């Protein structure tokens, strides 16, 4: 706001308004010019999340039908899952923003995300569905669903822009851990947890990062242990978690938290414990995620990808393994030297190098590398 006020004082409101209008017009013109180069047609895709947190046996599906004609593009979401009882729903304004994100990613990520993007994006919804719910549908856990909208649209448009196509990410979510510390003070840890990006044209996926619209960083161990009565006992990439492909999917990570407080409550808003991250152009899916509570007594409890207020006690450990990302292209076309490097780095096991990638041990000796030490 202060910067805007300064510009108005320096140049006057008329000039500033004209410059903003010109910037939006340029963005719209750039997008429409590229759309005219895309082949006209109808492009469809469907993706799913594990469940909504209430109906645990029911995957929640997002389906898009993209109609492209000339310099116009319409995203039709009328085939999506009905609105859910659990917090998996989105409202149309956020969905339209996701569609604009997709166009910028496929055409020119350096373009400003302004009103020019909004003028290009056309959307259609069906009331009472996942992306156009009727009150009082819960919409508070929006990041996983928003990421799935982006993933679905990118999958549909992959044939249009194969040089910018990307396999599915491992998904983002969050954890919520609350309780009372030894001094009797309440604490709340809320962390957005990432996973990995999918393989893309010309490069492997990025490992152990937040993806798409989460706009966060994975919390450092030092922050968790200095601010909360918790100890990080493991934090490391997961071998073989990236989907195989000509360009491998990014690796996910595992993190284990030990509770040092007398008692606590744990909530998880995740995904991909049931439905894996899909590959593209023949790439394989990423490894599924999981969450296990290891009681101080030795008992183990597996949790679904969405759970709320699970009770914990001192000495309990929560193991969270995020899902790996999908691969791009046929794994058998990955260069042998790239597979050997993955094995040396500990990204791919020797067994997977042989069975999945078809590596023949005719080069330098390969073996796993314990480079990624846990905390």
């Amino acid at each position: 706001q202060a910067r805007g006020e300064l510009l108005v004082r320096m140049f006057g409101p008329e000039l500033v308004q004209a410059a903003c209008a010109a910037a939006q017009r340029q963005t719209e013109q750039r997008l429409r010019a590229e759309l005219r180069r895309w082949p006209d047609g109808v492009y469809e895709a469907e993706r799913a999340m594990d469940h909504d947190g209430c109906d645990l046996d029911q995957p929640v599906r997002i389906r898009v039908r993209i109609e492209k004609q000339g310099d116009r593009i319409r995203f039709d979401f009328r085939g999506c899952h009905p609105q859910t009882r659990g917090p998996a729903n989105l409202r149309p304004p956020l969905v339209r923003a996701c569609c604009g994100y997709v166009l910028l990613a496929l055409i020119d990520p350096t373009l400003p995300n302004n009103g020019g993007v909004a003028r290009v994006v056309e959307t259609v919804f069906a009331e009472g569905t996942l992306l156009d719910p009727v009150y009082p549908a819960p919409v508070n856990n929006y990041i996983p669903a928003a990421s799935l909208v982006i993933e679905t649209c990118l999958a549909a448009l992959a044939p249009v822009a194969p040089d910018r196509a990307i396999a599915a990410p491992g998904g983002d979510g969050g954890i919520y851990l609350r309780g009372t510390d030894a001094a009797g003070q309440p604490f709340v840890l809320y962390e957005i947890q990432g996973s990995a990006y999918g393989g893309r044209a010309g490069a492997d996926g990025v490992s152990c990062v937040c993806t798409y619209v989460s706009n966060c960083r994975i919390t450092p161990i030092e922050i968790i242990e200095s601010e909360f009565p918790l100890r990080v006992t493991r934090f490391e990439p997961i071998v073989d978690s990236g989907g195989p492909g000509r360009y491998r999917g990014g690796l996910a990570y595992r993190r284990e938290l030990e509770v040092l407080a007398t008692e606590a409550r744990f909530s998880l808003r995740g995904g991909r414990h049931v439905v894996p991250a899909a590959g593209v152009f023949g790439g394989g899916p990423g490894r599924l995620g999981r969450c296990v509570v290891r009681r101080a007594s030795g008992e183990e409890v597996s949790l679904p990808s969405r759970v709320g207020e699970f009770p914990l006690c001192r000495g309990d450990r929560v193991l969270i393994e995020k899902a790996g990302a999908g691969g791009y292209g046929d794994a058998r076309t990955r260069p042998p030297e790239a597979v050997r490097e993955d094995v040396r780095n500990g990204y791919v096991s020797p067994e997977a190098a042989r069975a999945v990638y078809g590596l023949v041990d005719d080069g330098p000796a390969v073996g796993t590398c314990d480079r990624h030490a846990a905390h």
Side-chain angles (χ1 to χ4, degrees):
Q1 182 179 351
R3 185 177 298 176
E5 292 175 353
L6 177 61
L7 289 174
V8 170
R9 287 198 302 269
M10 291 177 62
F11 301 104
E14 294 80 8
L15 183 57
V16 171
Q17 289 176 347
C20 291
Q24 295 182 39
R25 187 167 55 251
Q26 290 171 1
T27 295
E28 179 182 3
Q29 291 172 347
R30 174 73 177 87
L31 292 176
R32 293 197 187 280
E34 186 63 27
L35 287 176
R36 283 192 289 269
R37 285 191 278 270
W38 287 4
D40 291 342
V42 176
Y43 307 93
E44 299 181 79
E46 181 179 290
R47 292 291 185 267
M49 66 179 74
D50 293 350
H51 48 76
D52 69 342
C54 291
D55 301 317
L56 301 185
D57 296 325
Q58 180 64 52
V60 177
R61 303 187 181 279
I62 289 178
R63 182 169 184 81
V64 66
R65 173 186 169 93
I66 302 176
E67 303 169 6
K68 186 270 166 186
Q69 185 70 36
D71 65 354
R72 298 184 62 184
I73 188 166
R74 186 174 79 157
F75 298 80
D76 186 340
F77 294 101
R78 287 176 292 183
C80 286
H81 196 281
Q83 70 182 61
T84 59
R85 294 190 300 128
N89 304 285
L90 293 182
R91 293 293 299 147
L94 180 51
V95 179
R96 283 191 282 270
C98 292
C99 296
Y101 178 105
V102 167
L103 289 184
L104 291 174
L106 293 178
I107 292 175
D108 186 352
T110 67
L111 284 174
N113 189 1
N114 56 30
V117 180
R119 287 196 287 267
V120 174
V121 171
E122 301 176 29
T123 51
V124 184
F125 304 95
E127 191 176 75
T129 58
L130 185 75
L131 304 186
D132 190 8
V134 177
Y135 181 85
V139 295
N140 63 305
N141 186 36
Y142 57 89
I143 288 294
S147 294
L148 194 64
V149 169
I150 293 171
E151 176 189 328
T152 308
C153 293
L154 287 173
L157 292 173
V160 176
D163 59 325
R164 287 188 177 269
I166 185 170
D172 290 329
I175 65 168
Y176 171 88
L177 208 158
R178 69 175 181 88
T180 304
D181 63 19
Q185 296 298 312
F187 71 91
V188 177
L189 166 67
Y190 182 76
E191 181 187 7
I192 300 296
Q193 293 193 326
S195 55
Y197 274 108
R200 58 223 152 113
D204 296 335
V206 182
S207 299
C208 305
V209 292
C210 290
T211 65
Y212 292 158
V213 292
S214 64
N215 296 328
C216 293
R217 304 268 183 169
I218 299 169
T219 307
I221 294 172
E222 293 82 359
I223 296 297
I224 292 177
E225 294 191 340
S226 63
E227 298 293 327
F228 306 99
L230 301 167
R231 179 181 293 120
V232 180
T233 55
R234 298 185 74 179
F235 184 34
E236 60 193 357
I238 302 173
V239 179
D240 291 335
S241 59
R246 170 65 179 83
Y247 300 105
R248 174 184 42 74
L251 273 63
Y253 65 89
R254 64 169 56 91
R255 173 176 268 176
E256 187 175 63
L257 301 171
E258 181 182 356
V259 177
L260 304 181
T262 302
E263 60 179 4
R265 298 278 174 165
F266 173 72
S267 297
L268 173 64
R269 294 292 181 262
R272 303 239 191 260
H273 290 195
V274 178
V275 182
V280 68
F281 299 141
R287 177 186 184 271
L288 289 172
R290 66 175 185 143
C291 181
V292 177
V293 172
R294 295 171 171 168
R295 297 290 195 188
S297 63
E299 177 191 8
E300 289 196 357
V301 182
S302 293
L303 299 182
S305 54
R306 295 191 181 202
V307 66
E309 293 290 289
F310 187 84
L312 300 172
C313 298
R314 183 188 302 274
D316 290 348
R317 296 187 179 191
V318 181
L319 174 67
I320 303 164
E321 294 187 346
K322 302 297 293 185
Y328 180 110
D330 185 351
R332 295 289 173 138
T333 65
R334 186 168 176 83
E337 59 272 18
V339 180
R340 292 192 183 94
E341 183 66 14
D342 279 346
V343 174
R344 282 191 289 269
N345 286 329
Y347 301 155
V348 173
S349 67
E351 295 77 16
R354 290 187 288 268
V356 178
Y357 289 96
L359 181 67
V360 177
D361 294 329
D362 58 354
V366 297
T368 56
C369 172
D370 192 21
R371 178 178 300 178
H372 308 292
H375 174 69

